[in-house]
Amino acid sequence: MESDTGPSEALRRLNVFNRHFAPLIQQQVSSDSSSPSLQAGLSNEIQYVVKNSILTAEQERSYQENGFLVIPNLVPHHKIDAYKEEFELICEGKNRQRSAGMTIMKDVALKTLSGERAINKLQDFQDNEVLFSYCSSPELLQYVECFTGPDAMAMHTMLINKPPDPGSKTSRHPMHQDLHYFPFRPAKSIVCSWTAMEKVHRQNGCLVVIPGSHKGQLMRHDYPKWEGGVNKMYHGIMDFDASAPRVHLEMEKGDTVFFHPLLLHGSGTNKTSGFRKAISCHYASSNCHYIDVAGTTQANMANEITDVAKRKLGEDVEVNIKDIWYMKGRLVKGERITL
Ligand SMILES: O=C(O)CCC(=O)C(=O)O
Ligand SMILES: [Fe+2]
């Protein structure tokens, strides 16, 4: 059934969202009505939004203060249905061409199952035409540009298929900052888009964020010591302040959250019997530069990625994580500069 909703429905949901979250996220509406991008230069504060004609002053202020912005009903339902169908075909594994270059991740507690029931995440779908059309879709890019500027690369792609939790609580994703995985900067020119492929709520493990945490530093990440085990590459913040106020982002199919790579976030246990799906892309300005992560808090992540790459390519192959990122990045807008 075609269930796309029109602009007035989107506006209604935006209002509901704002009413619901405004008190929680303490939107700081100052008496100055000019937008943060227009205020650039007036204070030492990092400006997280570039000059644009898309975001309202209120949306800019909200991203500046909170580090995330939810746009209701952004991705049409028929597109999401096509991504879901493609994901299912990949899980069936009949046509290897479809999943060329992808990293298919299995849940630590469900490895013995087959097909979709074992797979909790697809990564690196930059060469799959159907899935990658999410990253290059105009409805997303108009917003992406507000954070990356006009030259934008899709750097990291994921389809998350959070499985029904088997009782091990391994379907949780520990609180983390995505910047931990990225050897490029500056952080303010990177943004994640995360689109709900169905209704997501607390029961099926929606995203959980800590508003304002994007203004902090990159913290130390490692595997949490969970009794039931932890999924591969699900690093979490080690010195996490569990009392920090969090917001659960309950979203409808097609709703999209854009968030900063230092924003602390994670997701809860899926207590339902369905697979909670979301599709996501990390974009960066092509003007970003690579950094050397040796000797930093990111070194453990880099070693793990290098080990995986060596297992695929051969132990004697010299692997540099910058090369991996260089190869998987795809230009989606403007010109490719340094990334
Ligand atoms: O969809 C989720 O559960 C969160 C995934 C996430 O934050 C990540 O993979 O970095
Ligand atoms: Fe994340």
Side-chain angles (χ1 to χ4, degrees):
M1 193 183 74
E2 180 59 79
S3 50
D4 288 2
T5 46
S8 57
E9 170 61 10
L11 200 60
R12 188 190 67 76
R13 290 233 310 276
L14 178 61
N15 287 335
V16 171
F17 178 85
N18 283 339
R19 254 201 322 276
H20 188 61
F21 287 124
L24 289 167
I25 57 184
Q26 300 163 344
Q27 289 173 334
Q28 294 178 356
V29 184
S30 76
S31 54
D32 181 350
S33 63
S34 65
S35 65
S37 64
L38 296 177
Q39 292 170 23
L42 296 183
S43 78
N44 288 331
E45 199 183 358
I46 296 172
Q47 297 301 313
Y48 295 98
V49 181
V50 303
K51 200 165 170 6
N52 68 86
S53 54
I54 299 292
L55 301 183
T56 64
E58 185 49 38
Q59 287 174 323
E60 285 200 18
R61 194 171 278 109
S62 183
Y63 190 87
Q64 179 75 16
E65 291 307 318
N66 301 310
F68 70 94
L69 179 67
V70 177
I71 305 294
N73 201 29
L74 184 62
V75 179
H77 289 195
H78 70 268
K79 290 193 177 179
I80 292 176
D81 296 341
Y83 308 147
K84 186 162 183 277
E85 203 174 300
E86 184 68 10
F87 172 72
E88 284 161 1
L89 290 171
I90 291 166
C91 291
E92 281 170 24
K94 287 189 189 135
N95 182 345
R96 294 267 166 228
Q97 198 51 38
R98 278 206 145 81
S99 58
M102 284 185 207
T103 309
I104 299 179
M105 301 172 79
K106 294 196 166 184
D107 190 277
V108 65
L110 307 172
K111 279 191 169 136
T112 51
L113 301 178
S114 63
E116 170 175 2
R117 289 183 310 145
I119 296 171
N120 66 6
K121 210 186 235 191
L122 279 188
Q123 297 200 111
D124 308 328
F125 55 69
Q126 65 277 359
D127 293 325
N128 178 294
E129 214 177 302
V130 178
L131 295 180
F132 193 74
S133 67
Y134 166 76
C135 309
S136 52
S137 59
E139 58 269 26
L140 280 187
L141 291 181
Q142 60 177 334
Y143 286 98
V144 167
E145 236 189 311
C146 302
F147 310 107
T148 62
D151 301 301
M153 307 264 305
M155 295 301 287
H156 185 52
T157 53
M158 294 192 287
L159 194 152
I160 306 130
N161 186 46
K162 189 192 272 288
D165 198 277
S168 54
K169 294 200 180 156
T170 48
S171 64
R172 284 176 297 172
H173 200 128
M175 296 302 280
H176 64 282
Q177 296 164 301
D178 291 340
L179 193 68
H180 172 63
Y181 297 95
F182 304 145
F184 40 87
R185 299 290 187 277
K188 72 176 178 110
S189 301
I190 304 172
V191 69
C192 175
S193 71
W194 187 102
T195 301
M197 292 175 69
E198 63 197 285
K199 191 176 174 67
V200 295
H201 43 77
R202 290 186 74 153
Q203 276 300 103
N204 64 5
C206 63
L207 278 188
V208 183
V209 302
I210 303 201
S213 52
H214 65 304
K215 294 187 179 175
Q217 301 295 312
L218 179 60
M219 296 162 89
R220 196 166 62 86
H221 289 63
D222 213 331
Y223 285 110
K225 298 193 171 33
W226 287 348
E227 247 173 58
V230 188
N231 283 314
K232 191 108 190 87
M233 290 309 269
Y234 279 32
H235 293 186
I237 289 172
M238 295 319 282
D239 312 307
F240 176 61
D241 172 9
S243 69
R246 21 178 116 185
V247 170
H248 289 80
L249 296 183
E250 298 201 320
M251 291 159 65
E252 299 289 333
K253 178 173 176 178
D255 292 359
T256 300
V257 57
F258 293 92
F259 64 92
H260 185 280
L262 280 170
L263 186 78
L264 266 68
H265 67 284
S267 62
T269 310
N270 180 0
K271 298 183 188 126
T272 68
S273 56
F275 289 79
R276 189 229 69 189
K277 288 185 178 52
I279 187 164
S280 163
C281 179
H282 283 89
Y283 299 90
S285 161
S286 75
N287 216 355
C288 284
H289 56 274
Y290 289 104
I291 57 157
D292 189 356
V293 298
T296 73
T297 59
Q298 292 179 262
N300 58 347
M301 167 283 302
N303 292 339
E304 206 171 327
I305 290 180
T306 315
D307 287 349
V308 174
K310 283 194 169 198
R311 243 173 283 140
K312 275 190 193 167
L313 304 170
E315 284 301 324
D316 50 340
V317 177
E318 203 46 57
V319 182
N320 181 331
I321 62 161
K322 291 179 204 167
D323 296 339
I324 298 176
W325 286 99
Y326 182 83
M327 284 187 293
K328 70 180 190 170
R330 296 285 180 276
L331 188 70
V332 286
K333 203 154 189 141
E335 270 178 65
R336 189 163 188 170
I337 307 171
T338 34
L339 263 196

